Structures are given as structure tokens and as C-alpha cells.
Amino acid sequence: MAGYAKSLIEKWTALYVRLSRDDDNEGDSNSISHQVEILTKYAKEHDIENFKIYKDDGFSGTDFNRPG
């Protein structure tokens, strides 16, 4: 029974992208779009089907005053 229950557990992968310090574009920046493209391609090439993309577009990693 343990093996059956274990096979029902879905595993998810988090793909995290953030704004580059050098990128001043508004909206989804080229940097963010490119990162999403690269990570999505990697996930598909490695048979990672369940993934969610998290974005920090517009919030630099050098600024601690940002959501979430």
C-alpha cells in the first residue's frame, strides 16, 4: 500500500526568474522572458512536466522592499 500511495504524490518544480540589475524595461523584461524560455526548455528536455514559474519582474534582488 505504501508504494501505491507514494506513486500518487505529485512532484512539482519551481522555476524562479528575476529582473537583472542592468535591465530597466517595464512589464515583462527581455531578461525575464529569456530566462523563462531557457528554464522551460530545460524542464522539457529533462522530462519535468509539473512546474510553476515564479517571477520577480520589476523588483531587483538588491532591494529588500519588495512583495513576497
Side-chain angles (χ1 to χ4, degrees), residues 16-68:
Y16 176 73
V17 297
R18 72 170 182 85
L19 178 71
S20 169
R21 286 180 55 189
D22 299 328
D23 196 342
D24 292 331
N25 294 333
E26 294 195 18
D28 254 6
S29 65
N30 290 333
S31 175
I32 292 289
S33 299
H34 189 65
Q35 290 175 50
V36 168
E37 183 181 327
I38 290 169
L39 289 175
T40 301
K41 181 180 178 199
Y42 178 90
K44 290 179 180 180
E45 288 174 351
H46 290 84
D47 298 320
I48 300 170
E49 297 176 3
N50 297 330
F51 60 86
K52 180 166 176 155
I53 298 171
Y54 296 90
K55 300 179 190 180
D56 269 351
D57 195 12
F59 301 99
S60 172
T62 62
D63 183 2
F64 291 110
N65 187 20
R66 61 183 194 259

